Structures are given as structure tokens and as C-alpha cells.
Amino acid sequence: MVLKGRTWRFGDDIDTDVIIPARYLNTSDPKELAAHCMEDADPEFARQVRPGDIVVAGNNFGCGSSREHAPLAIKAAGISCVVAATFARIFYRNALNIGLPILECPAAAGEIKAGEELEINLEEGKIINTTTGKVYQAAPFPKFMRELIAAGGLIPYVRSRLNC
Amino acid sequence: MTITEKILAAHAGKQEVKPGELINARVDLVLGNDITAPVAIKEFARIGVDKVFDPEAIALVPDHFTPNKDIKSAEQAKMVREFAKKYGIVHYFEVGKMGIEHCLLPEQGLVGPGDLVIGADSHTCTYGALGAFSTGVGSTDMAAGMALGEVWLKVPPSIRFHYYGTLPPWVGGKDLILYTIGRIGVDGALYSAMEFTGETVAALTMDDRFTMANMAIEAGAKNGIFPVDEKTLAYIDGRLKRPHKVYASDPEAEYAKEYEFDVSRLEPQVALPHLPENARPVSEITDVRIDQVVIGSCTNGRMKDLREAAQLLKGRRVHPEVRLIVIPGTQEIYLQALKEGLITDFIEAGGVVSTPTCGPCLGGYMGILAHGERAVATTNRNFVGRMGHPESEVYLAGPAVAAASAVKGRIAHPEEVSGNGA
């Protein structure tokens, strides 16, 4: 799958309270969550994000709470992929489980700027910055996680385990 | 192998596991709350099974926005209540029985040494204080756990934190963990197990150990874990209804990293906004005026915390420009604090006491900060907007610093109030 989009740039340690503040956690409706996504880091984000846009961030993206509302809000906002130097572990699990594409790539996270255009080949983990022409290679997923992604996330995987 | 590796191996039906290995492990308990369980319940419905793997091995604790703070929260709590009824969930804790989940589960004897627990709450790592492997997951993992009784895990490398020296007065588990996170950073233990050892932690109360394990996630860790000793066994005695198994790290166990800290001169710590890694000795923080103090949460809402706070507040008055909010972690803690007269001490000092809830810790309700306001809290996170307005500030500290600060109206060393030395 090839994803194309314009980038939104964030720094290190973007926590789940910034991705979706707890004051909005009295609902689990993805659309309502998306309307407040990244609100405390960039109040313009939810209004100006376009379907397919890509989030690029530094270290430890998604640290803090285990709320799945965080990747759900990002996905429902229309973000096609999150590229970060590293991810916090619960966010990483949650993103894989719900089918939000994420890539770990410190080099890309270090150089890509806001508003640049990217082309991402998820299977190959290849990130092309079509604005600058630079190409980056993300760390490949372990085999089990590739299976999970291929199954469409954890729920279809569990269904197949239970032969539902 | 380390204690973490031994517990994971046992639950994966293996003799041995190695860091980095992906395993499918049997779980002893699956936890969810009023924020995370509704998402899990929707995902559970998508799986299409008609029963949970074991109605005794699931705990549902509506604690974040309960007693219901608004109509939407009431709908979420209702969804959890109806699910519990439909699937015969034994450990569902209604308002009146509930407490803050990570104070409640150990107290009710639902977790023991050697257990493997997953919870759809990041502070599930708290139960490592009992020598259990315990980790936070998302709602979809919780749904899969409720259906299968299993979870996929990557075996984490272990990092050992060895503490030695006798702690000075007013220094406890919160100060140790804030200091540790200050040293290694909020991603200093990313994906790893934090194993806490040494004479200092052996001397800690169980309540202090819960506080430390609770904040392992704030260093990015998968779990935090303590060796099981006579204090652990005394704690579970009369509480735990299931058999348990004690695991211990081998002397030749391999660690990805080892830290040694001499904490004999450690000062009470305060983490400045907006990351828990911004820990400083309290004496370095001068003239920071505050508007609110919160004493409670899954980090510091236990008896030792309330006793320590009451020791400083008894017979004194909260500063006229400060609002003090005290939240016992569970109904049992609340009752015990009443019996010991601590609740009287808090109220006579000018504080308010709330029924158990996570409330203000995550900016839910019961103590939200306005624009430009500043709080000292015994909670676990001081992220931007965590307790309210994006331009408010949270300073993290232990109960002694929080109580002293409430009296002084600014961040203060407990000795400024108690009068011992300093």
C-alpha cells in the first residue's frame, strides 16, 4: 500500500493527553474524538487536517495513558500514517491493534519538516520525501506483527483463532 | 532468568524465554475502567463470542468519571454495568464498593505474586509491587484478553535499579521514583522491565512500593517489579483467595542495564511541568506560589500517604489562597482514615475530602485548574493540560511535600512545617 500526504510536524514526548485530552474521554465516538485531536499542541490541527495527511514526530510518541482513544482520534482525523523516531509501547500496540499505520524511523523523524509531501510504501517501510527528494528506510515489523497487520488488526486475528 | 522472564515463561508454557521473543501468554486477570472498557466492549462484540473466557478473571472498575460526572459519563458507566451483568462478571465494583482501580485490586486480593495481569489502563504496572508481571494495554487488547484469556507480548529486557542507604525523614517511594525518572528520562526504560532491588526498597512499606511500581510507565517501561519478601506475603495474607507462586531473579540473570543509587541523602523530590522527568530536590524550588493541592490517586491514595499528609496538616490551617483536595483511594482506605481521625484532620485544616475517584488526576472533574493556575499533586503526570486548562501547571510530589505546600501556599519542604531541622 502506498500512502501519500502532507506532513504535520510535532516534537518529542507527545503524550496521549495532548493527542486527546481526558476532558473529551466521556465519549468513545471516533468522530467526536477527532474534532479535538492534538488540540492542546496545535489548536488548528483538527480544523485544517486533510484526509491522507501524515504526522511526523520525534521520540516517545504517544507516551502516557493507555487510552485507545488516542490512535482512534488520529485515525478518524484522516491521518494515514504516523512516522516517529520512537513510539511509547502502549500506543504502538494500540495502533497496530486498530490498524493505524505507524513507522519507526529516526532519520526521517529528524529531517522531515512541516508541510512537506511524503510517499510511503508500508510493506517496504520506504519513506520518500517528494518535496526534497530524500528517501528513508524505516525499521521492518517483526513477522508476527506483519501477520497481525495482514489480518486487519487484532480483532480479526482473534476471530480466526476462535474460528468465529 | 529475571523474575519478569520467569513469570512470562510460566504463563507461555515455556521453560525459558529471552528478551525480544514474542510469546502468547495466559492471563490471570484482565482489567478495565469506565473510560477504556466501553471501547473494549464494542470490540468484544465484534469478535462475536457469547461468553468471556472466565467471569472470575475480569475486573471492571468504574473509577475515572464516577460517581458519574455528566450524562455522557453516565452512559459509559451504564454500558460497563450492563456488560458486567450480561456476562456474569464477578469483580464488578459499583459506586459504593469501588475505589481507584490500582488501589482497589491489590486490597481486594485480586492480584498476587507470580500473576500475569493486563489492564486497559497504563498504571496497571502498579501490581509489580506484589511480584506480579502486570502491564497496561489498550481496549482492543482488553477485548481479546476477555475472549481468549491470552495476550501477545514481547519479552522485555530488564533494567535493574539498585538502591542503598537509609532514607532521610519525609522521603519515600514517590521521591525514589521521581528521582529515578529524573535520572533516566521519560523514555529511559522504554519497552523494558524495571526491577527495583536493594536494602532501601526492602525497607519500604508496601504502599511505597505500589507508588514506585505505579510510575514505571512514566519512564516508558512495560512493567515495574519488586522481589517478593515477608512484607509482600504479610500484605496478601488474608486477602488473596487464589494460590500464588513466588518467583525470584537468578543471581546470574542478565540485565540490559544496571543502575545503583545511594539515596541516603535524597531530598523530597518535585517534578516540574510538563514532564515527570523534570525532578528536582524540593530545596531548589523557591517561591513557587500554588492555587491547589491534590492528595490522592492510584499513585498516592493509600493509608501511608494519608497518614503522612495528616501528620503535617493536623492542627494547622491550609493557606487561605490554596484549595486542598484529599481523595482516599478506596472505600476501605476512606473508612480506615475516618477511624484514625485523619478525615477530621483534613477537614479541620480547611481541606475537602472526596469519595474515591481518579477525577482531577486526569483533568476529569473534582478539581479542574483554570487558565494560569498551578497545583501540587501526588498524582503521576504533569503533561500539558493534564489537570485542566492547557495553560495550567502541575507539580508532582509526594504527600509530605503536598501537605506542607498546602499549609505554606507555595512549594515547601515538609520540615518547614514540621519544624524538625532545616
Side-chain angles (χ1 to χ4, degrees):
Chain A
M1 197 190 342
V2 176
L3 308 168
K4 287 183 188 173
R6 175 190 59 156
T7 59
W8 289 83
R9 183 69 232 211
F10 296 95
D12 290 337
D13 304 315
I14 294 295
D15 60 77
T16 52
D17 280 274
V18 157
I19 298 172
I20 182 71
R23 56 185 178 273
Y24 304 117
L25 294 186
N26 55 4
T27 177
S28 59
D29 177 43
K31 282 209 175 65
E32 279 189 59
L33 297 171
H36 301 288
C37 188
M38 306 304 268
E39 189 172 283
D40 291 352
D42 182 351
E44 293 304 306
F45 179 85
R47 275 196 289 277
Q48 296 188 4
V49 68
R50 294 195 299 244
D53 281 0
I54 293 161
V55 165
V56 181
N59 286 312
N60 205 24
F61 186 83
C63 61
S65 150
S66 68
R67 62 188 72 156
E68 211 159 280
H69 311 64
L72 281 173
I74 292 173
K75 197 180 173 193
I79 291 295
S80 64
C81 184
V82 183
V83 177
T86 58
F87 289 91
R89 64 160 282 274
I90 306 178
F91 183 92
Y92 185 93
R93 277 186 88 91
N94 288 347
L96 284 183
N97 285 344
I98 69 158
L100 170 70
I102 53 171
L103 287 175
E104 230 171 45
C105 185
E111 292 181 4
I112 294 169
K113 294 183 178 65
E116 293 180 338
E117 297 285 336
L118 302 186
E119 225 178 87
I120 294 175
N121 183 316
L122 265 189
E123 282 76 28
E124 296 173 11
K126 196 196 255 181
I127 302 164
I128 304 166
N129 186 336
T130 52
T131 306
T132 64
K134 280 202 90 165
V135 180
Y136 306 93
Q137 184 61 48
F141 285 106
K143 186 169 165 286
F144 169 75
M145 293 179 197
R146 287 203 302 273
E147 285 169 15
L148 205 61
I149 295 164
L154 187 65
I155 296 302
Y157 174 80
V158 173
R159 282 176 66 92
S160 69
R161 284 280 312 277
L162 290 166
N163 297 315
C164 291
Chain B
M1 285 192 289
T2 65
I3 176 170
T4 294
E5 288 155 11
K6 286 185 184 180
I7 297 171
L8 292 178
H11 285 78
K14 291 174 172 240
Q15 288 297 314
E16 200 186 14
V17 294
K18 287 200 156 38
E21 189 177 337
L22 280 155
I23 56 164
N24 219 16
R26 182 176 55 75
V27 299
D28 296 300
L29 190 71
V30 180
L31 162 73
N33 58 51
D34 52 321
I35 290 181
T36 59
V39 179
I41 290 166
K42 285 187 202 165
E43 294 302 308
F44 184 84
R46 280 181 60 208
I47 297 172
V49 285
D50 57 0
K51 59 177 176 29
V52 297
F53 85 103
D54 181 356
E56 295 244 19
I58 293 162
L60 295 174
V61 188
D63 58 356
H64 279 58
F65 293 165
T66 55
N68 305 331
K69 77 164 178 128
D70 55 22
I71 296 170
K72 285 182 172 179
S73 314
E75 296 294 343
Q76 297 205 118
K78 188 179 171 198
M79 193 170 164
V80 178
R81 183 178 305 115
E82 286 174 350
F83 179 87
K85 201 170 173 191
K86 182 175 174 187
Y87 292 96
I89 305 300
V90 178
H91 304 296
Y92 166 72
F93 295 91
E94 189 53 89
V95 169
K97 294 191 182 67
M98 67 84 166
I100 299 171
E101 51 196 341
H102 309 307
C103 297
L104 185 70
L105 265 48
E107 171 198 286
Q108 295 295 314
L110 297 185
V111 190
D115 277 357
L116 193 156
V117 180
I118 59 166
D121 187 280
S122 59
H123 294 109
T124 302
C125 51
T126 307
Y127 319 131
L130 294 168
F133 174 89
S134 186
T135 192
V137 295
S139 296
T140 300
D141 275 312
M142 181 193 169
M146 289 196 296
L148 289 175
E150 288 176 11
V151 64
W152 68 267
L153 293 167
K154 193 158 136 187
V155 178
S158 291
I159 304 176
R160 197 166 77 121
F161 296 87
H162 195 77
Y163 302 87
Y164 62 93
T166 305
L167 290 176
W170 305 113
V171 178
K174 184 61 163 287
D175 306 295
L176 284 175
I177 193 67
L178 286 178
Y179 174 74
T180 305
I181 298 166
R183 292 290 298 267
I184 67 171
V186 290
D187 58 356
L190 197 60
Y191 295 98
S192 306
M194 293 175 87
E195 191 174 319
F196 304 107
T197 62
E199 60 179 18
T200 314
V201 301
L204 288 178
T205 64
M206 284 310 294
D207 285 357
D208 281 299
R209 296 181 196 180
F210 284 122
T211 302
M212 288 185 74
N214 172 274
M215 287 191 72
I217 178 69
E218 310 314 335
K222 186 165 211 154
N223 67 312
I225 199 160
F226 283 80
V228 175
D229 62 10
E230 72 284 354
K231 284 184 184 162
T232 327
L233 298 176
Y235 181 88
I236 61 166
D237 186 34
R239 297 180 193 271
L240 187 66
K241 284 122 201 148
R242 289 184 285 117
H244 68 275
K245 188 160 182 203
V246 175
Y247 295 91
S249 293
D250 295 324
E252 69 277 11
E254 282 180 30
Y255 295 93
K257 244 181 191 173
E258 295 192 49
Y259 292 91
E260 278 206 9
F261 297 130
D262 173 0
V263 289
S264 54
R265 290 183 182 181
L266 189 70
E267 259 194 60
Q269 303 283 302
V270 176
L272 277 49
H274 290 285
L275 284 176
E277 70 183 18
N278 300 332
R280 305 277 185 280
V282 65
S283 63
E284 283 182 17
I285 303 162
T286 50
D287 208 28
V288 175
R289 314 294 304 179
I290 53 168
D291 304 287
Q292 178 168 298
V293 170
V294 175
I295 298 174
S297 84
C298 59
T299 312
N300 283 112
R302 299 182 182 81
M303 279 315 299
K304 194 237 172 186
D305 307 313
L306 299 186
R307 286 181 189 131
E308 197 169 274
Q311 208 181 324
L312 289 162
L313 288 162
K314 187 182 172 68
R316 296 193 174 87
R317 293 290 300 173
V318 171
H319 189 276
E321 286 169 22
V322 173
R323 314 177 296 262
L324 169 67
I325 301 164
V326 182
I327 311 178
T330 66
Q331 294 287 77
E332 197 174 299
I333 293 169
Y334 200 162
L335 273 174
Q336 182 61 30
L338 261 175
K339 284 178 194 153
E340 293 183 18
L342 311 183
I343 303 298
T344 306
D345 296 338
F346 297 137
I347 294 174
E348 285 183 350
V352 295
V353 180
S354 157
T355 196
T357 179
C358 306
C361 171
L362 76 162
Y365 72 132
M366 202 62 86
I368 302 303
L369 298 174
H371 178 268
E373 286 193 327
R374 200 179 272 149
V376 172
T378 67
T379 56
N380 41 58
R381 291 189 178 131
N382 53 355
F383 299 152
V384 170
R386 174 74 177 175
M387 200 174 272
H389 195 281
E391 282 171 57
S392 59
E393 292 183 342
V394 176
Y395 288 70
L396 301 175
V401 168
S405 303
V407 171
K408 289 286 181 187
R410 58 173 169 79
I411 292 178
H413 193 298
E415 285 176 353
E416 291 183 58
V417 171
S418 72
N420 306 333

